Amino acid sequence: MNILCVAAHPDDTELLCAGTLARYVREGHRVTIAIFTDGSIGDAVVKPDILSATREKEARAAAEILGADLIWTGVTDELVFPDKEQRHLMIDVLRRADPDVIFTHSPNDYHPDHRYVSQLVFDSYFQKGLPHMPGQSLPACRFAGAQLYYMDNIGGINFLPTEYVDITDVFETKKAMLACHKSQFVAMEDLASIDMNWMIQMQAGFRGLAAGCRYAEGFTRLDASQRGLTRRVLP
């Protein structure tokens, strides 16, 4: 299968579903990670142009650990909007990956970039398969059938998973991918007094407690027409 994670920022994938992606890779599936923004605004000291280059390099290093393809869309951090221009970008992201399974942010996430990326994925779902959509750079892919899963919110706030993936055996891979995002470890400590290793261990441990394993990632499936809902596709 073709597996696609569409994340708003570099490191969102690692925080919220890298373990699940590692499980897919181990089972022989093709994984693509799409980063919608350049991550350039998330530091109180480093200038945006320098930070953007750093974060792209970090994201590519993390993807290489999995052997995943990386799509770097380059929208300015903090300026995601569900407008026409960004809809065209998202349609081409989906067309390039031609996914069987899509992961993206929950509509009730805490960050506007996360919420709007989620909306753009939802809004672009069918248009990826319409061959006469104007303004697209890539040809249409399959029209429907892909299952869409929303990733957990940071801290699990107001998010009730409906499906879990046991990531106990691949948790070290998740940590190694997150460790590539060195600039974010500094920024999160400075801006929010958060240790990201502690954060993923606590959240994966809590979801694991619910799922009956050491570490887990939680998701909710979008139950809607033409999403291929007759079988579980999570590893």
Side-chain angles (χ1 to χ4, degrees), residues 149-162:
Y149 281 90
Y150 293 126
M151 301 183 293
D152 210 343
N153 293 340
I154 296 296
I157 298 171
N158 293 325
F159 188 90
L160 184 61
T162 56

Side-chain angles (χ1 to χ4, degrees), residues 6-220:
V6 186
H9 307 107
D11 82 344
D12 286 338
T13 299
E14 288 71 24
L15 293 172
L16 300 172
C17 78
T20 299
L21 299 184
R23 287 280 307 270
Y24 276 119
V25 169
R26 192 168 67 179
E27 294 178 7
H29 301 291
R30 173 177 172 252
V31 170
T32 300
I33 299 171
I35 310 299
F36 203 66
T37 79
D38 62 4
S40 61
I41 309 299
D43 194 286
V45 177
V46 181
K47 299 298 184 183
D49 57 338
I50 297 173
L51 185 59
S52 174
T54 298
R55 300 205 68 188
E56 181 177 1
K57 182 178 179 180
E58 292 171 344
R60 293 192 182 281
E64 286 177 7
I65 290 175
L66 280 188
D69 296 327
L70 184 77
I71 300 173
W72 183 265
T73 305
V75 172
T76 302
D77 188 14
E78 306 295 329
L79 293 178
V80 178
F81 298 100
D83 58 20
K84 181 178 179 180
E85 179 183 2
Q86 294 190 26
R87 173 90 67 88
H88 284 308
L89 287 173
M90 187 62 77
I91 292 169
D92 276 340
V93 166
L94 299 182
R95 288 181 172 190
R96 180 171 165 183
D98 190 16
D100 297 287
V101 184
I102 304 168
F103 296 96
T104 195
H105 298 283
S106 171
N108 71 336
D109 209 323
Y110 79 103
H111 195 294
D113 283 355
H114 294 195
R115 289 174 181 254
Y116 290 144
V117 162
S118 180
Q119 183 176 336
L120 285 164
V121 171
F122 180 90
D123 292 347
S124 303
Y125 180 92
F126 288 116
Q127 294 169 0
K128 66 181 170 40
L130 296 175
H132 303 300
M133 278 293 297
Q136 297 306 135
S137 301
L138 298 177
C141 64
R142 289 171 292 172
F143 177 71
Q147 290 195 14
L148 174 59
Y149 281 90
Y150 293 126
M151 301 183 293
D152 210 343
N153 293 340
I154 296 296
I157 298 171
N158 293 325
F159 188 90
L160 184 61
T162 56
E163 296 189 44
Y164 297 86
V165 176
D166 183 347
I167 63 167
T168 306
D169 292 344
V170 292
F171 188 69
E172 292 303 315
T173 301
K174 179 182 175 82
K175 286 176 61 179
M177 291 176 66
L178 184 62
C180 293
H181 296 274
K182 295 181 176 63
S183 65
Q184 277 302 98
F185 277 82
V186 175
M188 290 295 286
E189 285 278 7
D190 289 347
L191 294 173
S193 300
I194 290 176
D195 180 322
M196 292 204 300
N197 275 325
W198 171 82
M199 182 169 64
I200 64 167
Q201 185 165 353
M202 290 293 290
Q203 187 147 352
F206 178 73
R207 294 308 188 194
L209 178 65
C213 57
R214 179 69 180 273
Y215 295 119
E217 290 170 341
F219 305 92
T220 60

